[in-house]
Amino acid sequence: ADMAGSGKETTYSMGDDAPISVLSERPQPLYNYLKQRFAQVTNPPIDPLREGIVMSLAMTLGKKESIYEVSEKGARLVHLESPLLNDNEMNAIKDLAKSDNGGFDQATLSTRFPLTDGPDAIKGKIEELCNAAVEQVKSGVEVLILTDLAADQSVLDETTYIPPLVAVGAVHHRLIEEGLRMDAGIIVQTGQAWSTHHFACLVGYGANAVHPYLALETVKQWHQSERVQKTMEAGKIAKTTLDQAQANFRKSVEDGLRKILSKIGISLLTSYAGAQIFEAIGLGEEVVNTSLKGTTSRIGGMNLADVAQETVMMRPEVADAKLKLINYGYYKPVPSKGEYHINSSDLAKLLHNAIGLDKKVSAATTRDTAENDGVKPSSVANYEIFKKSLETAPLANIRDLLDFESDRQSIPIEDVEPASSIMTRFCTGAMSLGALSREAHETLAIAVNRIGGKSNSGEGGEDVVRGSPLGDVDEKGRSPTFPHLAGLKNGDSANSFIHQVASGRFGVTPEFLVTAKQLEIKMAQGAKPGEGGQLPGPKVSEYIATLRASKPGVTLISPPPHHDIYSIEDLAQLIHDLHAVNEKAGVSVKLVSSIGIGTVACGVAKAQADVIQISGGDGGTGASPLSSIKHAGCPWEFGLSEAHSALLNNGLRDRVTIRVDGGVRTGRDVVIAGMLGSEEFGFGTIAMIAEGCVMARVCHLNTCPVGVTSQKEQLRKKFPGTPEHVVNFFEFVSEEIRELMAHLGYSRFEDLIGRADLLKSSDSQAGRVAKTDGVNLDRFFSGIPDSAEDRSFLRAKIEGGIEVPKEEIVHINGFSSDLDRKISQDESVKKVIAENEGETVLRFDIKNTDRSTGAMLSGDIARAHGNNGFKGKINVQLEGSAGQSFGAFVLPGLNIRLAGEANDYVGKGMHGGEIVVVPADDAGFVASESSIVGNACLYGATGGDFHANGRAGERFCVRNSGAFAVAEGAGDHCCEYMTGGVVVMLGTVGRNVGAGMTGGVGYFYDSDDSFSERVNGEIVSMQRLVSAAGEAQLKTLIERHFEKTGSEKADEILNNWESEKQKFWQIFPPSEAGALTVNAEAEGEIETTRVSASAPSGDLCFLSVGGQLNEGQTARCAD
């Protein structure tokens, strides 16, 4: 309905907690056994939302000439704008077979075969189909149509079909073997394609186009139904014609395909076609060798007969249900007939009973009068019931097929290390404040801090009030600092141990960085790897918008991590930046399980990361496109074992701690993860359940009935959790771990880490699902090194070969931070920071190996005075060529001036102060025509003034939310994802200006009337200067630019202001439409127009003719 009604893929939440397809007791389409691969670090993903201009879904049909021969024959192809064909387009293609209409010879091959032949007949039918395809192409056919469309009802009743993915893959590979693949295009005409993932699989394994006849017919019947027509008439959904509804369906599929391509960094569908960029889970060699040649399938699985049998299993529902399709609950749980889901409301009830949580007790009901805030005593017996329910549940994960096989006798549980020690290895998943409510986010942080674990902020920042431990808690467990929380204790801290930096840079300020004990870089997210985060507009409240420096009510979609990370070198630079601004904090890098993650992990370890986090593809999320939740990312068992093995084999394992998360729920999960190589363990969805989540699965709608994932005040008051509930859960898990350790005969948990030799395939679980007969976990274990004897990887080595616990050290930047250290250690600088007053000036030469210059000093200031408390003034003057991230995280009171040039990421995360870059005195070029700073400058800036007397590279001011910046030209994607601040361009810019811009204002000088072609008009509007406030703001910024840089371009414009101002365009998003600088009719105090992010008041004074300065204006003018 979403696809046909609005042209968009359904948004959903909570991750994928259904069994992997090979363990499911329900029939599954073959597509569900394939997981999309995605780019992380090795090459950048693309942003299909804002940078779709570089992408194309065009395909061709017909015989392709050799790329080494150029002739007219090579142009004789059928060009398709989309791989998805409707009925009219199929008819048009068939008409092309006529000699007077192109003469494209075509052949239609049926993939159906008699039901009476049985499942084993599929092999012969595939061979017959491939032989026929070869014969047809040899005879001159240029378009092959593989169809499962039945000729009539009797054929439909008496036959089944080869799954289209098997059919197209087999034909594709046979034609390749015969040297004929370039001689014909393949169209798949099928009733088994409706999801974006289905189309991606078909194209990825050889189809040039797909005609989803049944999906289109379904859209038709949906559109014509009485219920839908009444809904349209009522205005609840947009009124459309049938053609529009089918076009909407196609648009949603096309957008989904762009997203899937973008994850792996491919811009053209023709490059994706036949590339097989998938990993199979649960398919055996027979299927792979027939149709999916070259595809990784690590544990084997179903053969062709199994596939045929499962295809037949989908048939009976039609007759039994009188043509009404049964909802098997693959996405959302459906009682009785539905697919099993691990995180059910029933599971939540069992856990709540164990930890003493009553969802009816909250601030909205009786919590304030109830004894112990309504927290009931925890129950070991009820936890055993909870644990037993998972042990006896249907198979769901790879680890469910594993069992323990110890090499020693059991020991008394009294000899096992205490629960308090084990719990220090526990972490929460990276769930953002915004996805969660304040109550839920802060409760988790306090609870995990209590047990000595590591809470995680997620992307989005945190309130600075959370930085200090509580000291104002009364006897009732209430604090004026956090009046919305209950069950507090003096000494509690709501400051997350881990502060996350993601591609959106939401909430990343110097204070956020220096108050962290660990900084995490989110390269990928388990629920939707290769994509950015998403926070629906209704959840962006005033409070959340303030933290994220964005606009209330405006949906926030983070780009994929491609703006400043194109390679391992770029990731190493961000790690360097974070080590610079906070030398005491370790840096973790979050990756998602996929084939090849071992190589990536080795690169990340060499890039000086301290922790590598491996997330499973089934991780939870607050909001995500549905197909992303289901079809990207692999189980963490695969990624964890591969990363651990690769690091160990390459002598890098002692450099990093490995953490795992994604569906970790019990002590058994933790022990298995430890044996596969993990040292720390993240709990996400289950931790939310422990504070009251009831698995309503409406996180994306802002309607959570217990206030865990809602920003609505009335729902937040229904939040039932306290830190004690969460602590109770973690104590139960740790005691379960201790029991398992005692059974296995191990007293220390660290002795189990990496001991995959203590795992075996479970005899009791084997055969519970018929299609697991072909699953073989032996190959899965065979590549994991034996570390039973050599345990040195558990300790880090320092100078002299001394081994120390990894948590006691963090990596320190080398010579590339020498200049940064020299500046920070200057006595005059230390004095100004310590006394919080005075001024100092420093002068140094800089070279391009000096990276992140200014970040350490910014960190020192933020540690002492926070984001905005510094009252002194430090002026740093530099000459030379600066390396990457020059001026990163600069904040108010710090002014940096560079005479020379700077590399990429200048002003990254800038929060205030001033950065000025001018050419060297002896520069022999025209400043306004030459690049002086690199790409992605001011990425994630939240304030400050920036002036560059020269041109900037691509993505200037990407995700800027507060800086005021002037430059003399820029490359593509200027102001991308901007949410605040002001940008002035005095020269030409590249294409795609303002893509994803939801806040702030831009002024662009256009001397040749070419600017309009370069604007992405999806969100922003453009106009000439229409308000006095806007003109004044622009002129003052240019005057400041001239004052700071001596820009000849600025001087020329100012000297001819009346004529030159007419060449400026102003761009702005809807959120700024009422601003004084944009709207000439806007009402308000005109003097509040901001012209500087770091001016004493940030205001611009206006004085009417004959008027007098008031006291405040006089003070500002004096400043």
Side-chain angles (χ1 to χ4, degrees):
D2 286 336
M3 297 172 83
S6 61
K8 294 181 179 179
E9 191 175 355
T10 298
T11 298
Y12 200 52
S13 55
M14 292 309 294
D16 183 15
D17 61 344
I20 60 174
S21 295
V22 73
L23 298 183
S24 172
E25 296 175 357
R26 305 293 177 188
Q28 302 271 348
L30 189 64
Y31 313 108
N32 290 1
Y33 293 82
L34 295 174
K35 295 292 186 180
Q36 300 158 14
R37 295 179 61 184
F38 48 90
Q40 51 181 354
V41 184
T42 49
N43 63 296
I46 300 170
D47 183 353
L49 290 176
R50 309 306 179 200
E51 298 174 19
I53 53 175
V54 302
M55 305 186 76
S56 171
L57 299 181
M59 296 288 283
T60 57
L61 296 172
K63 183 174 182 178
K64 295 181 175 67
E65 294 293 319
S66 168
I67 59 173
Y68 301 109
E69 297 178 10
V70 179
S71 68
E72 290 184 5
K73 288 183 179 180
R76 185 181 169 277
L77 295 168
V78 180
H79 182 83
L80 306 174
E81 287 295 327
S82 168
L84 194 159
L85 304 176
N86 60 32
D87 297 342
N88 292 335
E89 288 165 338
M90 273 300 286
N91 292 331
I93 288 172
K94 290 178 179 179
D95 285 342
L96 295 176
K98 299 174 182 176
S99 58
D100 60 347
N101 197 22
F104 287 88
D105 288 347
Q106 302 174 29
T108 299
L109 304 177
S110 175
T111 61
R112 303 196 73 87
F113 64 98
L115 275 167
T116 54
D117 290 353
D120 288 327
I122 190 173
K123 302 174 192 175
K125 179 59 181 177
I126 291 171
E127 184 67 19
E128 180 184 320
L129 179 69
C130 292
N131 291 338
V134 169
E135 184 180 338
Q136 292 288 353
V137 176
K138 283 182 176 179
S139 68
V141 166
E142 297 174 88
V143 179
L144 280 175
I145 301 172
L146 307 182
T147 182
D148 53 35
L149 180 61
D152 53 41
Q153 186 63 44
S154 62
V155 173
L156 182 66
D157 292 341
E158 297 170 3
T159 60
T160 182
Y161 58 94
I162 305 170
L165 182 57
V166 172
V168 72
V171 170
H172 171 70
H173 282 291
R174 175 63 70 83
L175 292 176
I176 290 174
E177 291 170 6
E178 299 286 341
L180 298 171
R181 184 61 187 89
M182 303 301 286
D183 291 351
I186 301 176
I187 298 175
V188 176
Q189 185 177 43
T190 180
Q192 199 194 53
W194 58 87
S195 160
T196 56
H197 178 64
H198 300 172
F199 292 94
C201 290
L202 292 171
V203 174
Y205 283 94
N208 296 82
V210 181
H211 175 217
Y213 63 85
L214 189 56
L216 294 171
E217 177 63 25
T218 302
V219 171
K220 180 180 178 181
Q221 293 188 19
W222 170 84
H223 184 270
Q224 294 177 345
S225 69
E226 183 179 353
R227 179 177 60 85
V228 170
Q229 287 297 318
K230 286 182 178 179
T231 307
M232 288 182 182
E233 291 296 333
K236 294 181 180 179
I237 60 175
K239 196 168 185 177
T240 59
T241 64
L242 173 57
D243 288 345
Q244 288 171 334
Q246 291 187 336
N248 281 343
F249 172 75
R250 174 148 77 176
K251 177 184 179 298
S252 67
V253 172
E254 290 172 349
D255 288 345
L257 284 173
R258 289 188 187 93
K259 177 194 66 182
I260 292 168
L261 265 64
S262 70
K263 291 179 190 178
I264 194 66
I266 291 176
S267 58
L268 303 179
L269 189 61
T270 49
S271 299
Y272 192 82
Q276 304 187 165
I277 309 176
F278 297 87
E279 178 172 353
I281 300 177
L283 297 179
E285 289 185 5
E286 187 179 46
V287 178
V288 171
N289 291 338
T290 300
S291 301
L292 316 174
K293 289 185 180 179
T295 300
T296 299
S297 184
R298 294 191 240 195
I299 58 171
M302 298 199 305
N303 57 29
L304 286 171
D306 296 329
V307 171
Q309 181 63 40
E310 190 159 44
T311 304
V312 172
M313 287 172 64
M314 298 183 189
R315 292 174 54 87
E317 66 177 46
V318 176
D320 295 347
K322 297 181 181 178
L323 299 180
K324 183 177 180 181
L325 297 174
I326 292 175
N327 180 1
Y328 280 115
Y330 291 124
Y331 300 104
K332 190 170 184 177
V334 173
S336 66
K337 294 184 179 180
E339 176 70 279
Y340 167 64
H341 287 260
I342 307 172
N343 297 325
S344 64
S345 57
D346 291 337
L347 183 85
K349 290 176 186 175
L350 292 175
L351 183 58
H352 292 166
N353 290 339
I355 61 177
L357 187 146
D358 184 347
K359 69 178 183 181
K360 296 179 181 179
V361 177
S362 67
T365 55
T366 60
R367 186 177 70 186
D368 290 339
T369 57
E371 182 180 355
N372 194 30
D373 296 315
V375 181
K376 301 174 182 178
S378 59
S379 167
V380 174
N382 283 338
Y383 184 78
E384 288 298 317
I385 296 172
F386 162 79
K387 189 171 66 172
K388 195 70 175 177
S389 74
L390 287 171
E391 291 173 355
T392 58
L395 301 177
N397 301 298
I398 297 294
R399 56 189 176 276
D400 294 339
L401 299 175
L402 300 176
D403 209 345
F404 302 113
E405 186 176 45
S406 187
D407 58 352
R408 59 184 70 174
Q409 297 295 315
S410 298
I411 60 174
I413 195 168
E414 293 77 17
D415 294 344
V416 177
E417 72 174 286
S420 58
S421 173
I422 292 172
M423 287 192 292
T424 61
R425 299 180 180 274
F426 294 170
C427 313
T428 52
M431 297 173 284
S432 73
L433 176 54
L436 300 189
S437 64
R438 281 192 71 179
E439 289 79 359
H441 200 266
E442 291 163 359
T443 296
L444 281 180
I446 291 169
V448 179
N449 290 339
R450 275 188 192 176
I451 66 172
K454 298 176 177 66
S455 50
N456 193 316
S457 70
E459 71 167 307
E462 283 189 349
D463 197 325
V464 294
V465 75
R466 295 171 62 170
S468 303
L470 288 177
D472 59 358
V473 180
D474 61 23
E475 66 279 0
K476 293 184 178 180
R478 302 294 191 275
S479 163
T481 309
F482 298 98
H484 46 283
L485 299 184
L488 302 177
K489 300 177 181 178
N490 280 316
D492 277 343
S493 172
N495 182 37
S496 294
F497 187 103
I498 304 166
H499 288 184
Q500 189 181 77
V501 178
S503 55
R505 298 295 195 266
F506 294 119
V508 177
T509 65
E511 188 171 357
F512 177 76
L513 296 173
V514 300
T515 53
K517 297 180 179 66
Q518 189 176 113
L519 294 165
E520 179 177 272
I521 300 170
K522 183 170 82 168
M523 283 305 305
Q525 180 176 344
K528 45 182 174 179
E531 300 178 56
Q534 182 175 347
L535 188 65
K539 298 184 74 169
V540 186
S541 64
E542 290 278 355
Y543 179 71
I544 299 303
T546 299
L547 293 178
R548 297 188 176 216
S550 61
K551 303 294 181 183
V554 177
T555 295
L556 298 175
I557 298 179
S558 300
H562 74 303
H563 289 318
D564 63 343
I565 298 176
Y566 282 81
S567 64
I568 188 64
E569 290 83 8
D570 294 322
L571 175 59
Q573 178 58 44
L574 182 53
I575 293 172
H576 186 280
D577 298 336
L578 299 181
H579 277 312
V581 73
N582 189 348
E583 282 198 296
K584 295 181 180 179
V587 176
S588 59
V589 176
K590 183 176 182 179
L591 305 172
V592 173
S593 176
S594 180
I595 186 70
I597 195 174
T599 302
V600 175
C602 289
V604 171
K606 291 178 181 178
Q608 301 297 305
D610 301 282
V611 178
I612 296 175
Q613 174 152 333
I614 309 295
S615 293
D618 54 354
T621 178
S624 171
L626 194 56
S627 66
S628 301
I629 292 175
K630 276 287 186 182
H631 302 301
C634 292
W636 55 253
E637 294 92 328
F638 289 169
L640 171 60
S641 57
E642 182 184 342
H644 170 70
S645 301
L647 290 165
L648 205 54
N649 289 333
N650 287 280
L652 299 168
R653 186 63 182 83
D654 61 325
R655 291 195 190 185
V656 292
T657 297
I658 291 183
R659 179 185 303 138
V660 71
D661 76 344
V664 175
R665 298 175 182 86
T666 64
R668 182 179 185 275
D669 290 344
V670 170
V671 172
I672 290 175
M675 290 177 174
L676 293 177
S678 185
E679 294 148 284
E680 295 180 351
F681 313 90
F683 296 80
T685 302
I686 196 69
M688 288 171 54
I689 293 175
E691 60 177 351
C693 170
V694 294
M695 289 308 298
R697 300 177 191 262
V698 290
C699 313
H700 55 296
L701 300 176
N702 201 31
T703 57
C704 175
V706 289
V708 174
T709 61
S710 177
Q711 302 305 326
K712 292 182 178 179
E713 191 71 31
Q714 67 271 28
L715 293 177
R716 286 172 49 201
K717 288 182 178 179
K718 295 182 179 181
F719 177 73
T722 68
E724 185 178 346
H725 290 127
V726 181
V727 170
N728 288 345
F729 166 69
F730 283 126
E731 287 177 344
F732 278 133
V733 172
S734 60
E735 288 298 335
E736 181 188 347
I737 293 169
R738 295 183 72 238
E739 291 171 6
L740 286 169
M741 290 170 62
H743 174 71
L744 294 168
Y746 284 80
S747 61
R748 300 190 309 167
F749 187 87
E750 74 169 31
D751 294 336
L752 292 174
I753 296 171
R755 293 295 306 279
D757 57 298
L758 301 180
L759 291 170
K760 66 172 184 176
S761 296
S762 172
D763 296 330
S764 61
Q765 301 289 16
R768 279 184 62 186
V769 179
K771 55 188 175 182
T772 61
D773 287 348
V775 172
N776 182 354
L777 296 182
D778 292 341
R779 291 184 300 175
F780 172 61
F781 291 113
S782 63
I784 303 176
D786 185 352
S787 58
E789 301 299 326
D790 184 2
R791 311 292 292 164
S792 60
F793 70 88
L794 292 170
R795 297 285 185 273
K797 294 183 179 66
I798 58 176
E799 289 185 18
I802 301 173
E803 294 184 355
V804 296
K806 293 178 187 177
E807 60 270 17
E808 292 184 6
I809 64 167
V810 297
H811 290 103
I812 301 296
N813 291 339
F815 69 90
S816 53
S817 283
D818 286 349
L819 176 60
D820 217 6
R821 290 193 183 92
K822 192 173 183 180
I823 296 171
S824 298
Q825 292 169 3
D826 184 273
E827 290 302 323
S828 66
V829 167
K830 290 181 179 179
K831 183 174 184 293
V832 172
I833 295 175
E835 297 178 357
N836 200 20
E837 64 179 11
E839 183 173 353
T840 186
V841 179
L842 296 87
R843 294 179 176 84
F844 296 95
D845 291 331
I846 190 170
K847 54 186 181 298
N848 59 10
T849 54
D850 294 319
R851 296 185 286 146
S852 313
T853 303
M856 283 186 177
L857 179 54
S858 299
D860 291 343
I861 295 171
R863 261 185 296 275
H865 306 293
N867 282 331
N868 301 298
F870 182 47
K871 306 301 182 185
K873 192 171 184 180
I874 300 173
N875 302 296
V876 182
Q877 299 178 6
L878 301 158
E879 291 187 14
S881 295
Q884 289 99 331
S885 300
F886 174 75
F889 313 118
V890 166
L891 71 177
L894 176 56
N895 302 325
I896 301 180
R897 181 182 180 88
L898 170 65
E901 59 191 359
N903 212 308
D904 296 340
Y905 327 132
V906 176
K908 177 186 293 185
M910 183 181 190
H911 185 67
E914 185 177 275
I915 298 175
V916 177
V917 184
V918 299
D921 292 339
D922 58 353
F925 53 80
V926 178
S928 61
E929 298 176 0
S930 305
S931 294
I932 196 169
V933 293
N935 297 320
C937 295
L938 299 177
Y939 187 3
T942 53
D945 284 359
F946 175 85
H947 297 273
N949 186 11
R951 294 180 60 83
E954 295 187 357
R955 297 194 170 94
F956 184 74
C957 278
V958 57
R959 248 302 289 166
N960 172 33
S961 58
F964 282 54
V966 186
E968 311 206 350
D972 295 344
H973 317 300
C974 186
C975 300
E976 190 174 27
Y977 283 100
M978 190 163 138
T979 62
V982 178
V983 170
V984 176
M985 279 290 143
L986 304 183
T988 59
V989 292
R991 58 185 177 170
N992 208 35
V993 175
M997 180 178 175
T998 57
V1001 177
Y1003 299 92
F1004 291 83
Y1005 184 75
D1006 182 17
S1007 60
D1008 59 1
D1009 294 324
S1010 63
F1011 179 69
S1012 60
E1013 302 170 359
R1014 304 175 186 274
V1015 177
N1016 183 321
E1018 181 183 359
I1019 297 177
V1020 299
S1021 301
M1022 58 183 288
Q1023 65 182 18
R1024 296 295 188 180
L1025 300 177
V1026 299
S1027 74
E1031 179 183 340
Q1033 183 180 60
L1034 172 61
K1035 186 176 182 182
T1036 308
L1037 281 168
I1038 298 175
E1039 288 172 343
R1040 286 170 58 80
H1041 184 65
F1042 174 70
E1043 175 192 339
K1044 298 291 182 182
T1045 69
S1047 164
E1048 294 180 1
K1049 185 76 171 182
D1051 190 33
E1052 178 185 337
I1053 291 172
L1054 292 169
N1055 287 336
N1056 300 280
W1057 179 249
E1058 291 304 317
S1059 60
E1060 292 294 284
K1061 71 178 183 181
Q1062 298 176 28
K1063 297 178 182 178
F1064 278 94
W1065 289 100
Q1066 184 185 61
I1067 67 165
F1068 59 92
S1071 63
E1072 303 285 359
L1076 291 167
T1077 52
V1078 171
N1079 189 339
E1081 298 178 359
E1083 297 181 358
E1085 294 294 328
I1086 199 165
E1087 66 263 28
T1088 61
T1089 303
R1090 299 181 65 207
V1091 295
S1092 169
S1094 58
S1097 69
D1099 296 343
L1100 173 65
C1101 300
F1102 284 89
L1103 190 64
S1104 57
V1105 177
Q1108 297 295 316
L1109 294 177
N1110 62 36
E1111 185 177 347
Q1113 290 171 329
T1114 302
R1116 286 198 295 273
C1117 289
D1119 288 327

